Amino acid sequence: MPERLAVYPGSFDPLTNGHVDIILRGSKLFDRIIVAMLVNAEKAPFFSVEERVETAREVFREHPNVEVDTFDGLLVEYARRKGASVIVRGLRAISDFEYELQMALMNRRLYPDVETVFMMPGEAYTYLSSRLVKEVFALGGEITGLVPEVVEARLRRKQRHPGGSM
Ligand code: PNS
């Protein structure tokens, strides 16, 4: 049987417990899952891609079939290069659906051999997004339990040393 390899793409700025939930579910469904972080020079990310990769590798240290990588350019080209047959995306609510449908159908048109599989996170994470985590944190709100501990620690370090190397 050929290996079932899935790619879970995104910005992950930062990685939330909603992402972790999807990745762990995916790691049970597929032989290997690659968390693929988009290198996007146009956006001004909160964490550099190197910081995000390092953090995610720490979070999934004990999960040998979860890999963390970066990509730029077209996602489907990356998937093709890696030999992945599945793109995993999380669906939290109806509001995610339209954008996700567009992406899935465009990706299918570009590369019909890759199938997008949508996974629902645990209901505790259905309202969670990286954007909200950053906003709540920046305004002094509590984010414990919303992101992995290493991410929270890095957010706090960044707050203490903005612009400093992590
Ligand atoms: O979870 P996010 O941050 O919204 O992820 C969006 C992502 C990275 C999956 C999407 O922007 C993407 O695939 N970008 C790569 C460029 C690409 O392939 N664009 C065409 C998508 S149909």
Side-chain angles (χ1 to χ4, degrees):
M1 273 271 274
E3 181 192 54
R4 242 316 151 228
L5 172 60
V7 168
Y8 179 49
S11 308
F12 305 105
D13 186 34
L15 184 77
T16 69
N17 282 341
H19 296 131
V20 172
D21 181 89
I22 294 285
I23 294 162
L24 294 179
R25 288 173 198 279
S27 73
K28 291 185 202 140
L29 217 52
F30 305 105
D31 297 319
R32 218 154 39 98
I33 182 163
I34 303 178
V35 181
M37 305 200 171
L38 177 66
V39 180
N40 189 347
E42 282 168 49
K43 278 193 202 167
F46 189 81
F47 286 119
S48 71
V49 76
E50 293 79 16
E51 288 168 335
R52 282 177 272 151
V53 165
E54 211 178 290
T55 313
R57 288 200 175 134
E58 210 171 320
V59 171
F60 297 105
R61 216 178 33 224
E62 285 165 16
H63 298 269
N65 71 334
V66 178
E67 284 169 34
V68 182
D69 194 10
T70 60
F71 77 103
D72 57 15
L74 278 180
L75 170 63
V76 289
E77 285 306 326
Y78 174 79
R80 194 201 309 260
R81 236 179 21 249
K82 287 288 175 181
S85 52
V86 172
I87 293 171
V88 168
R89 291 288 289 172
L91 263 192
R92 290 163 299 189
I94 283 285
S95 49
D96 285 338
F97 183 74
E98 199 170 334
Y99 170 60
E100 293 298 336
L101 177 72
Q102 284 177 348
M103 278 210 301
L105 294 182
M106 180 60 82
N107 284 333
R108 180 184 284 165
R109 180 194 161 97
L110 294 169
Y111 182 32
D113 289 347
V114 78
E115 204 59 61
T116 300
V117 170
F118 292 108
M119 298 185 69
M120 318 304 157
E123 58 268 33
Y125 307 117
T126 49
Y127 63 94
L128 191 51
S129 71
S130 298
R131 187 185 60 77
L132 270 188
V133 165
K134 281 183 282 197
E135 186 171 320
V136 168
F137 181 74
L139 297 173
E142 183 60 62
I143 56 153
T144 302
L146 301 181
V147 294
E149 280 175 23
V150 285
V151 173
E152 187 175 345
R154 275 183 183 251
L155 280 164
R156 296 202 186 287
R157 250 188 287 167
K158 199 145 204 116
Q159 194 176 44
R160 285 197 300 272
H161 311 285
S165 104
M166 306 291 285

